[in-house]
Amino acid sequence: MGDNIPEKQPGTDLTPAQWHLMECLWEQAPRTSREVVDYLKAEMGWSKSTTLTMLRRMTEKGLIHCDESGEVRCYSPLVKRQEALLHETEDFLSRVYKGSVGMLMSTLTKKQNLSKEEIRELYDILEEAERRM
């Protein structure tokens, strides 16, 4: 992504369809419109017209950048994946668990058969959070 492209601020809500397109661009960018069309046809079964409409609308909304300086249009994300994940997680936690990480973890551990490796990973995450305090 070029230095002259403004970064999108955190807090952008992405629809499920927008997530799919962003995943394509987060995986590799820039991508030509043809590459995006081929990717989303293979992954999602989307038609060319659906993908091109999504690219146009997401460019208009400032979610992605379209470089038209060459012979083909190339697209890059303006929203960083980590920012979108953080926003989505905060929204989910607030909406579903009223902001309670403990309630979320309790639900996850009751319904999931966690491996010893996953439990160790959770301990490591909590220990790192404690060190940052």
Side-chain angles (χ1 to χ4, degrees), residues 4-105:
N4 60 341
I5 301 169
E7 288 289 326
K8 186 73 176 171
Q9 295 300 311
T12 302
D13 292 316
L14 297 174
T15 67
Q18 290 171 337
W19 268 97
H20 293 299
L21 197 146
M22 292 301 288
E23 287 289 351
C24 169
L25 295 177
W26 287 325
E27 183 180 292
Q28 177 187 327
R31 283 192 193 241
T32 66
S33 54
R34 177 60 179 207
E35 291 170 330
V36 176
V37 166
D38 290 347
Y39 178 98
L40 291 170
K41 182 174 183 70
E43 294 292 318
M44 304 303 302
W46 289 6
S47 69
K48 179 180 180 179
S49 64
T50 297
T51 301
L52 294 177
T53 298
M54 286 287 298
L55 285 168
R56 181 179 49 77
R57 288 182 181 163
M58 290 175 70
T59 299
E60 290 169 357
K61 289 182 178 183
L63 299 171
I64 60 177
H65 172 72
C66 177
D67 181 0
E68 300 180 71
S69 63
E71 291 184 19
V72 294
R73 292 181 178 161
C74 291
Y75 294 88
S76 299
L78 291 177
V79 177
K80 293 180 181 177
R81 188 174 200 283
Q82 193 59 37
E83 290 173 350
L85 286 171
L86 182 60
H87 177 73
E88 189 73 17
T89 301
E90 288 173 344
D91 179 60
F92 175 76
L93 186 63
S94 174
R95 199 170 22 86
V96 177
Y97 292 98
K98 298 183 180 172
S100 172
V101 174
M103 195 180 337
L104 169 66
M105 294 308 299

Side-chain angles (χ1 to χ4, degrees), residues 88-129:
E88 189 73 17
T89 301
E90 288 173 344
D91 179 60
F92 175 76
L93 186 63
S94 174
R95 199 170 22 86
V96 177
Y97 292 98
K98 298 183 180 172
S100 172
V101 174
M103 195 180 337
L104 169 66
M105 294 308 299
S106 176
T107 301
L108 285 174
T109 57
K110 285 178 184 172
K111 293 292 181 184
Q112 301 291 323
N113 291 323
L114 299 175
S115 68
K116 286 188 180 203
E117 182 180 315
E118 290 170 319
I119 292 170
R120 183 73 244 158
E121 186 178 350
L122 288 173
Y123 275 122
D124 291 345
I125 291 167
L126 292 172
E127 287 171 355
E128 178 60 28

